[in-house]
Each structure stands twice: as C-alpha cells, then as structure tokens.
Amino acid sequence: MRNALDPAELNAAIENVHRAGMPGLFAEVRDGDQVWRGAAGVADVATGRPVTADMRHRVGSITKTFTAAAVLQQVESGQIGLDLPIGRYLPRLVPGERGDVITVRMLINHTSGLAEYLPYAYPSLKAFPAVADTGPQSLDDSRFTRFHATELIEMGVTAPAVGAPGGTPGVYSNTNYLLLVQLLEQVTGTTAERYITRNVIERSGLRDTELPAGPYVNGPHSQLYEAWFGMIDPPRDYSVYDMSWVGPSASLISTVADLNRFYGMLLAGEVVSPSSLAQMQRTVPVISQEGKTIDYGLGLHPMEGPGQGTFWGHGGTVWGGGALAMTRADGQRQMAVAVNLQRWNRLDSSGKPQPHPIDDALAALYRVAMYG
C-alpha cells in the first residue's frame, strides 16, 4: 500500500521536531481506518511533565474555519448574502463607502483591505510587521485584559487600509473575522459562541472542543511558551490568557482528534452543503501574517506536495501555541499537529527571522504525515 501510515517513520519525525528545539508537540494522523497518535517532549519545562496526544490545546486561527462554516450555514438559510455589502448588516461598524463595497465574501477570504487591529491593541507591537522594532511587553500587560470586539474592530477599520476592497493579493486580517462574528450575532440573535457551539461544534460531534469563556484551558493541556523572536528568553508561559483579544476568530480550544473529525466531516459536506464547500474552496492569493503569499478560500487554504493530492485545512497560532490541521480532498488522509512554542526564530542583523532547525523538522513531519 503506497502512502500507508508508517508508525515508526511518524514516531521518528515527531521526535526530530522535539530534538530540534520544540519543548513538546503531539499529533494524530489518519489514513482511512488507520490511526496513529504520537507525542514527543514535555508539556511543562519546569516539571518535565510529558505531552500526550489527547491534550486540549489552543488552536488559534483554525477557529476561522468554524466561524466561516457558521456564516455559510446562514448564507444557506438566506439570512446572509455572501456577495452583499457588510454595510447592509453592520452600518455602524463599517460606515460610509467601504461599508457599501466590502462584501461578506471579502471578509471571509481577507480581500476587504481592512487592516489588522493587533498592532493597535498591543502598543509594543505597533511597528509590526517590522518585527525587529516590536517588543513583547504588552503581551504580559494584556494577559487579563478584557477587550471589547467593537473597540478592536474600530481600530482595524480606522487604521490605514491595506488594499482596495476585492483587490488581490488580499491581506490576512483578524479584523475581518471579528466583523463576521458581529454579523453572526446580528442575524442569529444569539452570541456567536453559542451559535458556533450548537451548529458547528456539536453538529460535528466534537466532545473536547470549546470556545472558552475565561482565561484557562480546562482539562489536560500543555503550557504554551512564547519566545517572540528571541526577545523572551527563556520563553514565557502564556497558557493562562484572556482570549477576548481574538474572540471567536481564533480562541478555540480543541484536540488533534477533534480537529481531524471536524475537517473530515466538513470536506464530506456534513457541516455545510456541498455547494457551500465549493465556495469555501474557491481561492484567491492572500498575504499571510508571516508575509508569504498563500492561496486562501473561505476559511480554508490548500496545501499540496508535488504529484500529491490537495489537502485542505487551516493553521493557527496564539501566544505560545500553534496547530495545523490538513485533510486530503477525498477525506481519506488527515493530519493534525499541535506545538507548545511559538516564534522560535531569532532575528538576523537585518531584522528578518533566521531559519531554525524546528522549521525543517516540522516540514518533514508534515510531509510524512500527509504523503507517507
């Protein structure tokens, strides 16, 4: 069997990421009925407590697929028009001409031209994306800050635009998804958290996935270590953190098993209709937060190896934590990986992140997991 799961190879690949400098990581890979789960390293560098593959984890912007799916359900029921202007629904939040030309679709695929609010919410990140001129101080200062979504949206909407509405490449921006959260609340008459929980998380049968109300991760989990490009040394634990800085655009807590289950059901047309899924898989070029141009659909993006099938999914980071979940288009091969260190690359003299052994080791793990 070509591409069958090779547990020894997967065990070696995950161990290599830990050896390269990742404190701890865990993963689940599926191929049809075959399942491999693995973990390497520690969940707590102080105590040496090991990571395990069933841990709950902050999965960052993987949440965006859940939010996009919820919006598309409302498109299916006629409550939201995918190509209608956001100003029709939220005139106060996106006033004037921009509200008339930015459509719901442009928010979901990051072609709205609206700026990222984070550098405005976190004063020490103001110079972002010029990373060398940023600092990590406000990550600490804001650990228990309760942000209001409308204030964050206002920061993004009033900041200088990063592109013309509908123009490509788009620019990845959390402002877009906070607006989608407000849109969901407007048309459903309930909180986005409640709607997404009932209609996406529970519909998919996910037992260990939730949008958290407080700053803690319930159940067994890892500490989350943030290095901020070598400026926090040793890396600091940010596992306890008020997630209102991203809300239901990036605050989800899940497990690698739940992520694989969710993407498997989504690609099988069981979370949204097949026609909505086809919309999700229509991509445009978007500049990611790392400054790379990627293909991005409606809350999904593709990855493919040479001569291999296309995988669909999403990645995500929060302060200290990261995850990537990818499922092959036919739903047969799946990978979900979670890591407990972020922004491990130090900066070179020109302020650019330097390559790190973790990068190559992770890429090798993804290759083995996805393509065998």
Side-chain angles (χ1 to χ4, degrees), residues 163-245:
T168 54
V171 178
Y172 192 96
S173 167
N174 283 290
T175 306
N176 294 316
Y177 274 72
L178 283 193
L179 278 163
L180 293 169
V181 166
Q182 294 298 308
L183 172 62
L184 267 179
E185 300 197 341
Q186 171 106 344
V187 302
T188 63
T190 186
T191 66
E193 285 91 342
R194 210 168 287 143
Y195 181 86
I196 293 167
T197 299
R198 202 168 50 228
N199 295 282
V200 182
I201 294 171
E202 289 175 2
R203 181 190 283 200
S204 304
L206 310 183
R207 296 200 178 140
D208 291 303
T209 299
E210 66 173 336
L211 289 160
Y216 299 94
V217 180
N218 297 321
H221 63 279
S222 173
Q223 312 309 108
L224 301 176
Y225 297 102
E226 180 60 54
W228 196 257
F229 306 101
M231 295 179 215
I232 308 177
D233 191 13
R236 195 169 301 136
D237 172 24
Y238 285 121
S239 55
V240 175
Y241 211 96
D242 187 303
M243 297 302 289
S244 59
W245 63 281

Side-chain angles (χ1 to χ4, degrees), residues 68-302:
V71 171
L72 282 157
Q73 288 174 356
Q74 288 298 300
V75 170
E76 288 168 21
S77 68
Q79 297 300 302
I80 293 173
L82 197 50
D83 294 301
L84 288 179
I86 191 62
R88 179 176 292 200
Y89 302 98
L90 304 170
R92 288 194 184 142
L93 291 178
V94 193
E97 190 189 343
R98 283 207 290 183
D100 295 336
V101 292
I102 293 172
T103 64
V104 174
R105 184 191 299 274
M106 291 173 200
L107 296 174
I108 313 179
N109 70 10
H110 297 292
T111 58
S112 69
L114 293 172
E116 173 62 67
Y117 63 79
L118 275 178
Y120 302 91
Y122 283 79
S124 69
L125 306 186
K126 197 159 180 49
F128 194 86
V131 178
D133 299 326
T134 65
Q137 301 85 339
S138 47
L139 274 60
D140 265 354
D141 298 342
S142 300
R143 189 186 282 264
F144 294 108
T145 302
R146 198 80 191 139
F147 288 105
H148 293 285
T150 50
E151 290 170 23
L152 297 173
I153 288 167
E154 190 182 0
M155 293 174 190
V157 171
T158 56
V162 292
T168 54
V171 178
Y172 192 96
S173 167
N174 283 290
T175 306
N176 294 316
Y177 274 72
L178 283 193
L179 278 163
L180 293 169
V181 166
Q182 294 298 308
L183 172 62
L184 267 179
E185 300 197 341
Q186 171 106 344
V187 302
T188 63
T190 186
T191 66
E193 285 91 342
R194 210 168 287 143
Y195 181 86
I196 293 167
T197 299
R198 202 168 50 228
N199 295 282
V200 182
I201 294 171
E202 289 175 2
R203 181 190 283 200
S204 304
L206 310 183
R207 296 200 178 140
D208 291 303
T209 299
E210 66 173 336
L211 289 160
Y216 299 94
V217 180
N218 297 321
H221 63 279
S222 173
Q223 312 309 108
L224 301 176
Y225 297 102
E226 180 60 54
W228 196 257
F229 306 101
M231 295 179 215
I232 308 177
D233 191 13
R236 195 169 301 136
D237 172 24
Y238 285 121
S239 55
V240 175
Y241 211 96
D242 187 303
M243 297 302 289
S244 59
W245 63 281
V246 280
S249 70
S251 63
L252 199 73
I253 293 167
S254 192
T255 62
V256 287
D258 267 8
L259 291 177
N260 279 336
R261 179 179 173 85
F262 168 68
Y263 281 104
M265 291 186 72
L266 180 70
L267 290 174
E270 293 175 34
V271 180
V272 298
S273 71
S275 61
S276 291
L277 179 62
Q279 294 285 351
M280 293 180 84
Q281 293 174 315
R282 272 177 61 185
T283 65
V284 292
V286 167
I287 299 168
S288 73
Q289 285 184 316
E290 291 76 39
K292 297 176 182 149
T293 301
I294 60 170
D295 292 323
Y296 196 90
L298 301 186
L300 278 179
H301 72 84

Side-chain angles (χ1 to χ4, degrees), residues 28-30 32 256-268 277 281 300-304 309-314 324-336 369-371:
E28 181 188 85
V29 180
R30 291 179 165 265
V256 287
D258 267 8
L259 291 177
N260 279 336
R261 179 179 173 85
F262 168 68
Y263 281 104
M265 291 186 72
L266 180 70
L267 290 174
L277 179 62
Q281 293 174 315
L300 278 179
H301 72 84
M303 281 175 73
E304 50 202 308
T310 302
F311 282 68
W312 292 91
H314 213 290
L324 178 66
M326 284 283 156
T327 290
R328 202 167 62 202
D330 65 4
Q332 284 300 293
R333 185 82 172 209
Q334 298 190 278
M335 165 193 85
M370 290 161 72
Y371 311 121

Side-chain angles (χ1 to χ4, degrees), residues 329-348:
D330 65 4
Q332 284 300 293
R333 185 82 172 209
Q334 298 190 278
M335 165 193 85
V337 179
V339 299
N340 67 3
L341 173 69
Q342 278 304 299
R343 284 157 285 270
W344 52 77
N345 304 81
R346 291 177 179 266
L347 304 178
D348 63 20

